[in-house]
Amino acid sequence: MKFIDPHHDQWRTVGGEDGPMSHPPIKSYSLLTLGQWHAVREQWPAQGSVDYKPVGVILPNDTDIEVLEADTAKLALVVLQFPKWVDGRAYSQAHILRARYRFTGEIRATGEVLVDMMPLMARSGFDAVTLRSDQDRAAAERALGFFAARGHYQGDIKVTKPVFGRAA
C-alpha cells in the first residue's frame, strides 16, 4: 500500500478562480472531476500512444463505477472517496474496477480513511491511500500485516477462491 502525502503528491486537480475548469487542458498528472473527464475524454490520448499524458479521475462514492468502464485504458489513477468511514460503497467500486474491468492503474482512497480500514482496502483493490490527518501511518502499515501470514478465509482481489476452494 502506498501512503500519499497530499503536500507532496504529483497529481493536481485542475481548477480556475471559480472552481473546476469545465474543459481542462491535456496535461500530465491531471486529476479531474468526473464532469471534467467527460468533457475531455474523447480527446485524451490512450496509454501507450506517443502523446499520452497520465490522467486520473475523482469519483464520488455514490456514482456507478460503470461510468468508467470504457475509459479504464486511458486512466492511470482513480480516486475513490470515503465521505464517512462507515460508508463502504468505495470498497465495491474498487473491487469492480479490479475484478470486472481489470483496471491496472492506481486506485486511491481519500476522505475519512482510518487505520482500521487498511486490510479490507488492500483486499478490495486499493493500492494507495491518503489517511485522515489524525491517523498514524506506522499503525496503518502494521494493520496491513495483521493477517498476512495466515491469509483470509474468504477470497479477495488477489486470491479469488475461498480457503476450501484452493488447492492444498
Side-chain angles (χ1 to χ4, degrees), residues 6-78:
H7 304 292
H8 298 99
D9 189 14
Q10 66 183 345
W11 293 92
R12 299 284 179 236
T13 56
V14 182
E17 291 179 12
D18 298 328
M21 293 177 149
S22 59
H23 286 76
I26 295 177
K27 189 172 153 187
S28 291
Y29 301 105
S30 294
L31 186 54
L32 308 177
T33 65
L34 186 59
Q36 289 174 317
W37 175 245
H38 282 265
V40 298
R41 72 180 177 188
E42 296 301 322
Q43 295 83 32
W44 208 280
Q47 288 187 34
S49 67
V50 182
D51 52 349
Y52 176 70
K53 309 259 189 286
V55 62
V57 173
I58 303 168
L59 193 68
N61 76 337
D62 61 353
T63 303
D64 287 332
I65 198 71
E66 287 79 14
V67 300
L68 296 180
E69 179 179 6
D71 302 326
T72 57
K74 290 185 177 183
L75 298 173
L77 169 68
V78 176

Side-chain angles (χ1 to χ4, degrees), residues 81-119:
Q81 300 174 321
F82 285 86
K84 297 179 182 178
W85 67 269
V86 295
D87 187 341
R89 291 178 283 186
Y91 291 115
S92 299
Q93 290 174 317
H95 187 273
I96 291 169
L97 273 172
R98 292 281 189 227
R100 189 179 303 165
Y101 303 141
R102 304 286 183 230
F103 181 67
T104 58
E106 180 178 305
I107 299 178
R108 182 182 298 182
T110 63
E112 294 291 308
V113 179
L114 308 180
V115 167
D116 295 346
M117 300 163 70
M118 294 297 100

